[in-house]
Amino acid sequence: MAAAAAAAEVSNRSVILKRHVTGFPTEDDMELVTATVRLAVPPGSAAVMVKNLYLSCDPYMRSRMTNHKEPSYVPDYVPGEIIPTFGVSKVVESGHPDYKAGDLVWGMTACEEYTLITTPESLFKINHPELPLSYYLGVLGMPGLTAYAGFFDVSKPKKGDYVFISAALGAVGQLVGQLAKITGCYVVGSAGSDEKVNLLKTKFGFDDAFNYKKEQDLNAALKRCFPEGIDIYFDNVGGQILDAALLNMRLHGRVAMCGLISQYNLELHEGVCNLACVVTKRVRIEGFIVTEYFGTYRKFEEEMVGHLKEENITYVEDVAEGIENMPAALVGLFYGRNIGKQLVAVARD
């Protein structure tokens, strides 16, 4: 029995948050540590022990690195503890009747090689292992459901709508654009490099795109791209682009507030000056949180799998190899270094 227990002890590298962050995060705000873990669940427990295959890097994680005076919608990360994140994992031991060793799952795990998940009811079994497993952190995971819910439920598109998407080559934006094209909309995206702009127009079928870093006047850029105005603005950025978009909204336009990546690293957030447009143009601005839509996940999954298999939708990922590269991959999000959905491959099987 002792030999079996010894055999179950394995090395477990993890990434911890060293301190709460102000301003832009750095790799030094995190630390790679090594411990050991026994690949077992406590007797009588309904937990599952998983081997993490892929870990997700998402913009919302920056907010959790802050020490908020007022509670946020998700708890702040705790300095000295392993950073939680979404992951694709393989069950190695289970005390839960719905899971067995070998099952592939995705859901909230932690930045480490092995994780004991004490609330496995929060996990989703992977129904389509014939597709790349990494897709369950992107097009078939939280970002995909974010795009789907934010576009169809919040934005309420109609064929012929004029749609603008900021951070359009991100994990969410690239999908919103393609869903909008499938719906019959005119789609323009903004991104932070010429390479990304070219991908939006050539690979993802956007009608137009522009590099916001090269535009002296964002209002003029949007007027150039939308001479008749914008029906739907899917906002991943906030700040100056949101302000410019409000000037260009059409009557009864909709703004889906998905994220504010331009603001996450600022100690003093930028204000919005053009709110009068919301009144005069009767614009609806609505924020949303994807976890409220997790109950619709299976319907979304099957629809998106259909699009992928019919090649109606494509997806671009930026994969860093090895858990030791998690800090650099996460920090890179806030400098626009990633091309597409950023994730980390921890293990391939």
Side-chain angles (χ1 to χ4, degrees):
M1 194 71 166
E9 288 273 350
V10 297
S11 173
N12 189 29
R13 293 180 298 165
S14 60
V15 177
I16 65 167
L17 183 70
K18 286 162 67 175
R19 65 184 77 88
H20 282 130
V21 176
T22 55
F24 277 81
T26 68
E27 292 178 48
D28 189 55
D29 292 320
M30 293 163 271
E31 183 179 1
L32 184 72
V33 299
T34 302
T36 58
V37 64
R38 185 165 177 252
L39 299 184
V41 298
S45 163
V48 296
M49 175 66 73
V50 300
K51 179 179 183 178
N52 294 315
L53 307 180
Y54 295 94
L55 296 173
S56 186
C57 297
D58 297 295
Y60 82 90
M61 296 170 72
R62 171 61 190 87
S63 177
R64 297 190 71 180
M65 292 178 165
T66 297
N67 185 13
H68 288 96
K69 290 181 178 150
E70 296 293 329
S72 183
Y73 72 100
V74 284
D76 296 343
Y77 292 149
V78 178
E81 293 190 2
I82 300 167
I83 296 173
T85 189
F86 285 99
V88 167
S89 313
K90 182 164 71 173
V91 176
V92 293
E93 284 290 335
S94 175
H96 196 285
D98 293 343
Y99 298 96
K100 64 183 186 303
D103 282 350
L104 293 166
V105 297
W106 77 269
M108 189 56 70
T109 180
C111 292
E112 58 185 341
E113 293 173 294
Y114 295 91
T115 302
L116 182 70
I117 297 177
T118 56
T119 55
E121 57 274 9
S122 68
L123 299 172
F124 294 94
K125 281 189 180 178
I126 288 177
N127 284 342
H128 293 277
E130 72 277 11
L131 293 169
L133 293 179
S134 57
Y135 277 12
Y136 280 89
L137 293 184
V139 60
L140 294 176
M142 182 272 288
L145 183 58
T146 301
Y148 187 89
F151 186 61
F152 289 116
D153 189 69
V154 179
S155 304
K156 299 191 178 353
K158 304 183 296 293
K159 184 178 179 180
D161 276 349
Y162 295 96
V163 177
F164 173 49
I165 304 155
S166 55
L169 199 66
V172 174
Q174 58 176 296
L175 292 172
V176 175
Q178 293 177 88
L179 291 171
K181 288 303 299 178
I182 290 169
T183 306
C185 301
Y186 181 85
V187 182
V188 178
S190 64
S193 74
D194 291 345
E195 178 188 6
K196 292 179 180 180
V197 166
N198 184 57
L199 279 170
L200 290 172
K201 293 195 281 191
T202 59
K203 188 175 184 69
F204 295 106
F206 281 53
D207 295 287
D208 203 354
F210 64 89
N211 180 350
Y212 71 89
K213 293 179 181 176
K214 287 189 168 180
E215 298 291 344
Q216 298 294 318
D217 183 337
L218 292 170
N219 178 32
L222 290 174
K223 278 186 166 43
R224 181 180 75 238
C225 294
F226 295 101
E228 297 183 47
I230 300 166
D231 292 298
I232 293 171
Y233 172 37
F234 196 99
D235 188 16
N236 295 303
V237 170
Q240 295 176 23
I241 293 184
L242 169 60
D243 230 5
L246 289 176
L247 288 173
N248 289 276
M249 298 303 293
R250 302 179 83 186
L251 287 181
H252 301 290
R254 288 86 74 202
V255 178
M257 298 290 295
C258 179
L260 299 162
I261 197 169
S262 74
Q263 306 299 298
Y264 294 154
N265 300 303
L266 303 180
E267 291 189 53
L268 184 62
H269 293 171
E270 294 172 335
V272 178
C273 299
N274 296 320
L275 287 173
C277 299
V278 177
V279 178
T280 58
K281 299 179 181 185
R282 284 78 89 193
V283 173
R284 177 172 58 84
I285 301 178
E286 184 175 349
F288 68 102
I289 301 294
V290 66
T291 50
E292 291 187 349
Y293 293 91
F294 275 8
T296 69
Y297 174 73
R298 290 304 179 192
K299 175 179 178 291
F300 151 78
E301 180 190 27
E302 290 311 309
E303 188 167 329
M304 191 61 80
V305 165
H307 284 312
L308 288 166
K309 291 189 172 181
E310 291 164 17
E311 300 184 347
N312 295 330
I313 280 182
T314 189
Y315 200 63
V316 169
E317 300 172 314
D318 196 324
V319 184
E321 291 288 339
I323 193 167
E324 66 275 9
N325 288 310
M326 182 79 187
L330 182 55
V331 168
L333 280 179
F334 305 101
Y335 293 92
R337 293 174 192 151
N338 56 303
I339 303 291
K341 164 64 191 174
Q342 182 68 65
L343 55 107
V344 176
V346 180
R348 295 290 183 175
D349 55 40

